[in-house]
Amino acid sequence: QVQLVESGGGLVQAGGSLRLSCAASGRTFSSYTMGWFRQAPGKEREFVAAIRGSGLSTYYADSVKGRFTISRDNAKNTVYLQMNSLKPEDTAVYYCAAEFPASGEYDFWGQGTQVTVSS
């Protein structure tokens, strides 16, 4: 079992920045692929970014590429999402998720943190 706890959400003006954190329990954090997803009101949850266990490979949705950066600190069992140049359309609940090696799907999810970008 892996527990994930997100933090760092809040209210920010368009053009501003926020950094989300996701702290994970467990002793094998470095083996998990970690992802960030978001869900806006009335919309389906969508992929934002992911990072492999080593931190060497990262992936982004086109809508955030060049503005968001995913990173991780395996010594702290934490994954981050640095969000710059925020837009009102980035407003959503942001979730982190953990994928076990070779699972093919995200196995554990956090409770989410609200990000609101005002225009």
Side-chain angles (χ1 to χ4, degrees):
Q1 190 76 7
V2 176
Q3 291 185 327
L4 304 173
V5 179
E6 301 98 334
S7 61
L11 173 64
V12 64
Q13 288 188 332
S17 299
L18 282 174
R19 188 175 83 154
L20 305 183
S21 300
C22 174
S25 65
R27 294 176 292 178
T28 57
F29 177 75
S30 62
S31 66
Y32 309 151
T33 291
M34 298 297 296
W36 285 98
F37 293 77
R38 67 187 182 186
Q39 187 167 19
K43 295 186 177 181
E44 294 190 352
R45 185 170 59 197
E46 64 175 358
F47 169 78
V48 175
I51 186 168
R52 296 294 187 191
S54 65
L56 297 179
S57 297
T58 56
Y59 310 89
Y60 296 93
D62 287 343
S63 58
V64 307
K65 204 170 292 183
R67 301 187 298 122
F68 290 11
T69 303
I70 189 171
S71 62
R72 65 191 296 158
D73 185 337
N74 286 340
K76 295 183 179 180
N77 279 20
T78 301
V79 62
Y80 305 97
L81 185 68
Q82 178 66 45
M83 306 185 294
N84 298 329
S85 302
L86 283 161
K87 304 175 181 180
E89 52 263 43
D90 294 318
T91 295
V93 177
Y94 284 71
Y95 300 90
C96 72
E99 176 186 325
F100 280 163
S103 169
E105 61 183 14
Y106 285 91
D107 302 283
F108 298 99
W109 294 81
Q111 83 289 348
T113 186
Q114 176 71 46
V115 171
T116 302
V117 184
S118 63
S119 57

